[in-house]
Amino acid sequence: MGSLSCIQLLHHHNPVLFSKSSGSTGLKSGIQRIKYLTNLSHPTVTNFTSSSFLKISCSATLSVTSEVEKRSFEADEANLLVKELQGVFNSGKTRSYEWRISQLQSIEKMLEEKEKDITQALHEDLAKPYLEAFISEISTTKGSCKHALQELKEWMEPEKVKTSITTYPSTAEIVSEPLGVVLVISTWNFPFLLSLDPVIGAICAGNAVVLKPSEIAPATSSLLVKLFREYLDNSAIRVVEGAVPETTALLEQKWDKILYTGSARVGRIVMAAAAKHLTPVILELGGKCPAVVDSNIDLQVTARRIVTGKWALNSGQACIAVDYIITTKSFAPMLIEALKNGLKECFGENLMESKDMSRIVSKSQFARLVKLLDEDKVSDKIVVGGQRDENKLRIAPTILLDVPQDTEIMKEEIFGPLLPIITVEKLEESYDIIKSKPKPLVAYLFTNNDQLKQDYVQNISSGGMCINDTVIHLTVPGLPFGGVEESGMGSYHGKFSFDGFSHKKSVMYRSFDGDASVRYPPYTPQKQRLLKALISGNLLRIIQALIGWSNDDVE
């Protein structure tokens, strides 16, 4: 699409992105924002109407002509969709334990019966190896579903809270109630997991849900439409496919919560749109996740775990992937050699032909990564790899040594198979390097030094942290997953998903007994003394006030 045509089209769908008065959002110009967004566009659009799914196929350029000829999902349809779901939610249908369980059981059944279809779609979108797709997407989603099925009844139980003497006799509790109609906008790198996992949380909490899958993973997006129609209650759970116009139309609506997974740049747009309606958001973004590597480690195990947490993780296209390593100058050569051996062990001698590694998702992402690699002060820092094949959208696992901090590869999240190693004289110097960048989603550390572990946890702020391994902390359902500052806000996984899509309502119950005149005017000196004693919570003072022995001054 030509830049002028793109801007005109998107101005029609969302003029606020181009408004001069929108500077308070802290975003760059509308042109810059849309340039980024249109790089993520895909030609297949599925339009969800109130009564049916309508598939629309556009040309690869997403030209204005194709948009005019083929009707897109617009704001009025999005508004109708939200109103329909609000009606379903207001009927109370989604609130019952039975409905929630039935939907979770249907998801579990879907995962069992459609495993082959899911892995095929993931291979078509990302060339994900079967085992990687099964473990990182199907099995992980299955685990979330099973955990929710086991724990949901307990999660839904009101939480008892102690009351104070000033409200005696009384009881109190926190009631978890669903928020209403929520929007989940997922991303392309784990298109199945990152669509289903938040939806599971929203269902657990009793909400009606709209899922907007990523158009960059079209096979998975199309499959999600089919599976949701076949397995789930479409009166309360819907899917909207599409690209920028469809997402814009959805963001113009008033939701009860939005969960977005993706880049910080688009996260700002989502948050700005949500702010117009005071809609709360969960933003799962990313950032440059560091791995600090000490020398007193099991080098072979460390190398394998870094290889797994970088290249075996969707070829580095993951927000939790190791983005760069910091180690000492003296230890770097040994670490590089261990990583080379780890790569050969996992992917064979010819890394470009390995069937155990995903490809780059698109030509635009491939071009972005090549640009990072070919920058003047970067290209001569390659010590391993560097090969690329645009036709196959493959870039070999690449290690770079001591890339300058002012290069783009050290400024932006890499999101690909490139791994810089930065060397320092002492590991403690790594703190300043990490702190000079936005707070990461995850920070990794490899060491047997207990003091270093303690210092790292205390000194480095990140969404999460994993010591002596990578990625695997996400498999613990009792740990929240979420970022901090530019790496995101809010969290989910396990009960945190339930809580994230619930309102915690405080409720106190009192009887008509125990009604004391002391709380009502007129406030005599005796009442004042007793009230002050009651507020203090000191039993002796209360007794003294009751029998008239209090020495409290009163006005």
Side-chain angles (χ1 to χ4, degrees):
M1 180 190 294
S3 59
L4 181 59
S5 299
C6 172
I7 293 167
Q8 288 172 333
L9 174 64
L10 289 167
H11 187 279
H12 169 72
H13 284 286
N14 194 353
V16 73
L17 291 181
F18 297 91
S19 170
K20 292 180 181 179
S21 63
S22 64
S24 60
T25 64
L27 302 179
K28 294 182 180 180
S29 70
I31 293 174
Q32 290 173 312
R33 283 173 272 172
I34 300 308
K35 181 180 178 183
Y36 172 76
L37 283 168
T38 51
N39 282 337
L40 303 183
S41 297
H42 188 275
T44 301
V45 177
T46 298
N47 175 25
F48 191 95
T49 62
S50 60
S51 58
S52 65
F53 291 88
L54 174 62
K55 287 234 175 174
I56 300 175
S57 298
C58 301
S59 69
T61 58
L62 275 177
S63 66
V64 173
T65 302
S66 65
E67 288 293 331
V68 170
E69 291 174 350
K70 301 178 186 293
R71 185 172 59 89
S72 65
F73 182 86
E74 295 181 347
D76 56 345
E77 292 180 271
N79 182 258
L80 179 60
L81 170 60
V82 173
K83 284 183 177 179
E84 286 186 355
L85 292 177
Q86 284 172 341
V88 174
F89 175 76
N90 290 336
S91 74
K93 180 179 186 178
T94 65
R95 291 174 176 263
S96 73
Y97 173 75
E98 290 74 21
W99 182 86
R100 305 183 202 192
I101 287 294
S102 71
Q103 298 309 296
L104 294 174
Q105 288 171 338
S106 294
I107 292 174
E108 189 175 41
K109 182 181 179 184
M110 176 183 76
L111 293 168
E112 291 289 344
E113 295 179 349
K114 300 298 181 180
E115 178 185 312
K116 184 177 179 181
D117 293 345
I118 296 165
T119 54
Q120 284 179 343
L122 292 169
H123 189 270
E124 185 177 337
D125 286 331
L126 293 151
K128 280 199 178 187
Y130 166 77
L131 189 59
E132 181 186 341
F134 177 79
I135 292 173
S136 65
E137 305 237 29
I138 298 174
S139 179
T140 306
T141 306
K142 233 182 242 186
S144 294
C145 199
K146 287 182 181 295
H147 181 65
L149 284 166
Q150 292 169 356
E151 303 293 335
L152 181 58
K153 185 173 283 291
E154 183 178 337
W155 293 347
M156 290 177 66
E157 288 291 325
E159 179 185 344
K160 298 298 181 184
V161 177
K162 290 182 179 180
T163 56
S164 65
I165 193 170
T166 56
T167 64
Y168 179 84
S170 66
T171 59
E173 62 187 14
I174 299 171
V175 176
S176 296
E177 65 179 17
L179 293 169
V181 182
V182 302
L183 173 64
V184 173
I185 306 174
S186 66
T187 189
W188 54 263
N189 57 336
F190 293 88
F192 196 79
L193 169 68
L194 296 180
S195 293
L196 263 292
D197 206 356
V199 168
I200 288 170
I203 290 170
C204 283
N207 298 284
V209 193
V210 172
L211 168 66
K212 167 59 182 69
S214 173
E215 70 277 12
I216 308 304
T220 307
S221 179
S222 179
L223 180 62
L224 284 166
V225 172
K226 179 183 175 183
L227 296 182
F228 272 48
R229 291 169 69 182
E230 183 177 346
Y231 285 90
L232 297 177
D233 180 357
N234 293 160
S235 72
I237 305 168
R238 309 279 183 92
V239 179
V240 174
E241 280 193 289
V244 176
E246 291 72 24
T247 306
T248 301
L250 289 170
L251 287 173
E252 288 175 358
Q253 311 310 310
K254 186 182 188 307
W255 303 90
D256 293 293
K257 193 149 199 176
I258 299 173
L259 184 147
Y260 165 76
T261 303
S263 72
R265 284 175 284 185
V266 180
R268 289 182 171 89
I269 295 173
V270 171
M271 194 169 180
K276 292 189 295 183
H277 301 290
L278 294 180
T279 298
V281 296
I282 296 176
L283 300 179
E284 296 299 340
L285 307 177
K288 298 188 72 63
C289 300
V292 175
V293 182
D294 200 357
S295 58
N296 64 343
I297 53 170
D298 186 318
L299 185 53
Q300 185 180 12
V301 172
T302 296
R304 280 203 302 256
R305 291 178 178 178
I306 291 174
V307 167
T308 302
K310 180 65 173 182
W311 296 287
L313 193 66
N314 199 29
S315 197
Q317 298 170 108
C319 57
I320 54 172
V322 177
D323 194 273
Y324 64 101
I325 290 173
I326 303 176
T327 193
T328 58
K329 291 183 186 296
S330 59
F331 189 65
M334 288 179 280
L335 178 59
I336 292 169
E337 190 62 29
L339 289 171
K340 286 172 62 176
N341 293 334
L343 285 167
K344 289 179 183 178
E345 180 184 341
C346 291
F347 304 114
E349 291 288 339
N350 190 344
L351 299 177
M352 288 289 286
E353 298 299 324
S354 174
K355 297 186 183 302
D356 292 315
M357 195 183 309
S358 305
R359 62 167 169 79
I360 307 306
V361 68
S362 66
K363 287 188 176 181
S364 62
Q365 290 295 319
F366 181 92
R368 181 186 64 82
L369 290 165
V370 168
K371 185 179 179 182
L372 292 179
L373 202 54
D374 288 347
E375 188 177 346
D376 287 343
K377 293 186 286 185
V378 174
S379 58
D380 63 343
K381 301 295 184 180
I382 297 172
V383 293
V384 175
Q387 301 86 359
R388 73 287 300 264
D389 185 335
E390 185 176 1
N391 292 326
K392 294 182 179 179
L393 293 179
R394 289 190 176 273
I395 297 176
T398 301
I399 301 173
L400 306 100
L401 183 62
D402 281 328
V403 175
Q405 291 293 315
D406 61 352
T407 55
E408 288 303 312
I409 198 171
M410 289 308 298
K411 289 179 181 178
E412 68 175 66
E413 183 180 7
I414 295 170
F415 225 73
L418 318 179
L419 182 61
I421 295 178
I422 307 303
T423 62
V424 292
E425 294 295 337
K426 296 181 180 179
L427 280 187
E428 287 74 14
E429 296 173 32
S430 64
Y431 298 166
D432 288 338
I433 296 173
I434 297 170
K435 289 178 179 179
S436 70
K437 306 178 189 302
K439 294 180 180 180
L441 186 59
V442 189
Y444 300 108
L445 171 68
F446 290 86
T447 185
N448 277 317
N449 186 319
D450 290 336
Q451 185 61 51
L452 183 57
K453 293 176 189 177
Q454 184 178 335
D455 291 345
Y456 198 69
V457 172
Q458 292 295 322
N459 283 284
I460 300 302
S461 178
S462 58
M465 193 168 282
C466 188
I467 310 297
N468 291 336
D469 210 332
T470 59
V471 180
I472 202 165
H473 62 292
L474 266 69
T475 64
V476 180
L479 289 175
F481 174 64
V484 57
E485 292 186 356
E486 286 202 23
S487 59
M489 64 177 66
S491 61
Y492 70 115
H493 281 193
K495 188 173 186 296
F496 296 96
S497 295
F498 176 85
D499 291 341
F501 286 106
S502 298
H503 166 60
K504 301 300 182 180
K505 181 166 65 179
S506 59
V507 181
M508 190 178 77
Y509 301 91
R510 290 204 73 198
S511 72
F512 291 106
D513 298 328
D515 193 52
S517 62
V518 67
R519 61 180 289 199
Y520 306 116
Y523 296 118
T524 63
Q526 183 181 3
K527 283 185 179 181
Q528 291 184 54
R529 292 188 184 96
L530 183 54
L531 275 172
K532 289 176 71 175
L534 286 169
I535 292 170
S536 75
N538 186 301
L539 184 58
L540 179 60
R541 287 182 61 186
I542 293 170
I543 294 172
Q544 289 174 334
L546 285 170
I547 62 177
W549 288 5
S550 175
N551 293 321
D552 285 336
D553 293 330
V554 295
E555 295 294 332

